Amino acid sequence: EIHERLVGSEMCIRDRFDSTAVITGYGRIARYLARLLQAFRCRVTIAARSPLQREAALLDGLCTLPVTLAGLAAAGADLVINTVPACILTEECFSRMRYGAVYMELATRSETPEKGWAEARGVKYIAAGGLPGKFSPRTAGEAIARAVISAEHS
């Protein structure tokens, strides 16, 4: 179903999936999302704390960088997905993000200052905290892709 929706929406593929994305962390959900985005020619950068996660991402054909540099990559990205239950990007990072970019929060946290920072900059904020725990990685990845498609049309 998700493939049909993506293929049926040529504008969405061109605008979101033939573009750049930054994913924080490289756990199960991040790996699935990275593969999904790569399938649509998205240039994916993984920002991870763990050198082992960065090495795994490199072996999977992705660009990598330490999480401390995630803000630099996010500044030029069309899509930023946080899978780490921590505030990775600062308000300053959001001030440098592209107007119209999409920020998706997947990690469950009680306070998310990123929402206000994103909205102040014209970045579309999608709250999807806890989604990975509610679904299998594949199903969660498809649900996330649907959320990105919906953001594109809103």
Side-chain angles (χ1 to χ4, degrees):
E1 175 195 350
I2 191 66
H3 177 69
E4 292 172 7
R5 288 184 67 182
L6 291 172
V7 172
S9 177
E10 184 178 326
M11 180 63 77
C12 182
I13 291 172
R14 188 174 303 125
D15 289 350
R16 284 288 167 234
F17 291 101
D18 192 14
S19 56
T20 58
V22 174
I23 302 174
T24 60
Y26 202 57
R28 291 179 310 137
I29 298 300
R31 287 176 188 211
Y32 182 80
L33 285 171
R35 284 193 300 270
L36 180 68
L37 292 169
Q38 278 184 310
F40 290 98
R41 298 185 320 267
C42 187
R43 293 170 302 282
V44 180
T45 298
I46 301 298
R49 291 180 186 160
S50 165
L52 293 175
Q53 285 186 335
R54 292 195 304 270
E55 183 67 27
L58 278 173
L59 292 172
D60 289 340
L62 301 164
C63 296
T64 67
L65 49 85
V67 76
T68 55
L69 299 177
L72 293 175
D78 300 300
L79 174 63
V80 178
I81 302 172
N82 181 40
T83 68
V84 177
C87 187
I88 301 296
L89 299 179
T90 64
E91 184 174 10
E92 183 179 339
C93 294
F94 276 89
S95 73
R96 294 181 180 152
M97 288 176 69
R98 293 180 180 174
Y99 182 88
V102 174
Y103 177 86
M104 183 174 284
E105 179 61 53
L106 295 182
T108 303
R109 294 183 290 129
S110 59
E111 297 181 27
T112 56
E114 295 93 339
K115 184 177 189 327
W117 299 339
E119 291 172 350
R121 176 64 177 130
V123 172
K124 174 75 175 176
Y125 179 90
I126 300 173
L131 184 64
K134 296 175 186 172
F135 301 97
S136 69
R138 179 178 175 168
T139 305
E142 290 173 352
I144 291 163
R146 281 193 296 275
V148 170
I149 290 169
S150 294
E152 180 67 24
H153 296 294
S154 62

